[in-house]
Amino acid sequence: MARVARKAAAGLTGLTVLAGMLSACGGGDRPAGAVAGPPRKGGTLRIVGSSDVEHLDTASANSAGSYGLTRTFARTLFGTRASNVFAETVAVQADVAARIPTRENGGISADRRVYTVHLRPGVRWNTEPPRPVTAADFVRGFKRLCNPASPSSGKGYYIDTIQGMDTFCRGFARVDAKDAAAIAAYQNEHDVPGLRAADDDTLVFRLRRPAGDFLNLLTLQYTAAAPREYDRHLPDGPEFRQHTLSNGPYRIAEYRPGRSYLLTHNPVWRPETDPLRSRHAARIQITLGQDSPEAVQQQIERGDADLSWDQPVPTAALPRVRRDRRFAIRELPSNNPYLVFNTRSPNNGGALAKPEVRRALAHAVDRSALVKIVGGPDVAQPLHTVIPPGTTGYAPSDRYATPGAVGDPGKCRELLGRTGHRDLTLRFPYRTNSVHRLIAQSIAANLEACGVRTRLTADSGGNFHARTISTPEQARAGAWDIAAPGWIPDWYGNNGRTLIAPLFDGRDWETGSTNYGGYDDFVVNGLIDAALTAPDERHAAGLWQQADQKVTQDAAIVPLLNRSATLFTSERVRNARFLPTAAGYDYTHIWLSS
């Protein structure tokens, strides 16, 4: 998800105004913790939803749902706070690291290419017997990003940044993806020059070039520590998923694939060693397989469940709950959803490889209808750029403008006729949870008005990302032509690279890539490289903006909505704090009134 600069004064001002508008729409602050008295310990937090995570292994976890889950048991060097005040969620905080490295405290070298990170004492694995989390565990975590069995979609961040990571990863890709022993052997017998455990409590990074967002990269769940026991299993394989270890407040006590998770206390976790998490509920029960957002909402309103796992509040329920104190709209700058074209599809004579065909289709989309589907203008705004407002590199633009953002099927037909591809049939898989079916049907109707047929297919097994649109073989075989995923930035703050690079760098198109359509453009790739080496955020922002303009000119995707999160809790939920990267509340802070 795979995944926004707020340091600039203008950006912060805009966000503050937006937050005020949204809070006026929501019910209230009571779930945020405005309740007298101390937290109550105990009880079972009941979470209900649709699909299992695509990846449970932190090395490859890339969805909002997996971020929310792994935060309970897998810790990183740095992180961010959960809060219902968006600005408070942006700053990088120390997690397992003892402090934020700076040039003043000796943690960052004068040339900004060497980072020294000291670990916080007292953080332990729930092994038998318990043992400390060490710098070597973090080195192992970084190395696992490039494993051939379940490679990380975010590994490009670190290949671009850490010295020697590219060579290490190229070698790792040649290892047998089905041989756990061979994977462990390569990982443990080969070093990354820019990654070293100086001792058990000290980690040293050497960068290829200065990177102003390097600490942000170290907040991502990809970089969580990994214990040596993980070497026994194929990364993210069935055995691995049954043998996760914890250094956070909770542990996975029971996992039934596609059906449920039961989280219980990690007995060796201590609150004084964890500045970002709490632990109040005795158990967290996550029940999957319920695709209907209406059914999930009813359970929460009745008190049979406490939170939704992956379903926003149904659009039809919004008028009823809008002033309910249990309801809230939380700010979540994003490109969610967007329409992506499979540029490698052989279908229709390879028509989608042609920018002029994609540009024609982009004219057809009625964004105003999509705004209504997700809940109206309080919840979402039409988006016409890859980078959403208030984020690094954003500049207002609408290359395919229509009054009211309703689209222009006539213009679509006219332009499509000029391309020689009037007769198109597009394969269109969609997710079955939430409002994804309605969004797909709306886009399909827009394309039909343009004379384009679609073949809608439901993808209900939680495989939409992992096995359908993230697999180059599927793309090359024409298994799909268009799809409507979403993108929440991997972090907020100095985050220009988390919007353009993961979605459009054509050099990283492989299994697990979030460049779903295989878009590859020499100019965009060059702008990405230039932005990553820019001397400061201001210069980088201009380059990200140019990349955005080129991508929208080529219609690699069609941005659709900048959509906020709608959330509802049961009556007994207290202290619910929003975690933007998980698009939901941080489970570790919630306590239950009964």
Side-chain angles (χ1 to χ4, degrees), residues 62-321:
N62 62 357
S63 66
S66 63
Y67 273 38
L69 175 60
T70 59
R71 184 175 170 96
T72 67
F73 69 87
R75 295 176 60 182
T76 49
L77 291 167
F78 305 97
T80 54
R81 295 193 186 282
S83 174
N84 296 328
V85 177
F86 190 86
E88 295 178 359
T89 71
V90 174
V92 174
Q93 311 281 343
D95 188 350
V96 178
R99 64 183 183 183
I100 299 290
T102 64
R103 295 176 71 176
E104 290 72 24
N105 65 24
I108 303 176
S109 65
D111 64 359
R112 298 183 295 125
R113 294 180 61 181
V114 179
Y115 284 65
T116 302
V117 180
H118 300 285
L119 303 192
R120 184 186 304 274
V123 181
R124 296 182 292 171
W125 294 111
N126 66 327
T127 49
E128 188 60 46
R131 67 171 186 273
V133 174
T134 67
D137 294 326
F138 279 100
V139 170
R140 182 179 297 104
F142 277 91
K143 288 182 175 182
R144 294 179 77 252
L145 298 179
C146 297
N147 78 80
S150 183
S152 173
S153 62
K155 68 181 185 296
Y157 291 143
Y158 310 97
I159 290 172
D160 289 341
T161 309
I162 297 175
Q163 194 177 99
M165 190 88 173
D166 52 349
T167 301
F168 174 86
C169 290
R170 282 197 300 270
F172 213 165
R174 294 192 289 269
V175 175
D176 185 350
K178 298 180 180 180
D179 188 336
I183 290 172
Y186 179 89
Q187 174 183 287
N188 296 327
E189 294 169 7
H190 295 76
D191 292 327
V192 178
L195 183 61
R196 182 173 63 92
D199 55 45
D200 282 351
D201 302 315
T202 308
L203 198 60
V204 179
F205 297 92
R206 290 188 175 274
L207 309 189
R208 298 175 61 182
R209 58 186 72 89
D213 59 2
F214 186 60
L215 292 182
N216 297 96
L217 296 182
L218 301 185
T219 69
L220 304 186
Q221 285 295 293
Y222 303 128
T223 66
R228 57 179 178 264
E229 286 82 357
Y230 284 3
D231 288 356
R232 301 170 185 169
H233 314 295
L234 278 179
D236 204 38
E239 288 187 0
F240 172 92
R241 291 187 174 212
Q242 297 296 337
H243 294 89
T244 53
L245 291 175
S246 173
N247 56 19
Y250 291 91
R251 66 185 183 93
I252 298 178
E254 180 183 87
Y255 170 50
R256 297 191 296 166
R259 300 175 64 186
S260 66
Y261 292 88
L262 175 63
L263 308 183
T264 60
H265 285 186
N266 172 7
V268 304
W269 177 82
R270 296 291 180 267
E272 62 270 18
T273 71
D274 195 335
L276 299 180
R277 299 163 190 78
S278 301
R279 186 174 68 192
H280 304 301
R283 303 175 0 144
I284 301 174
Q285 177 72 54
I286 302 170
T287 303
L288 308 173
Q290 303 194 33
D291 289 342
S292 167
E294 290 78 13
V296 170
Q297 179 68 20
Q298 290 170 9
Q299 290 181 61
I300 298 173
E301 290 189 39
R302 289 197 308 262
D304 296 332
D306 299 305
L307 292 177
S308 170
W309 163 251
D310 58 357
Q311 310 270 30
V313 177
T315 303
L318 289 175
R320 183 179 75 253
V321 304

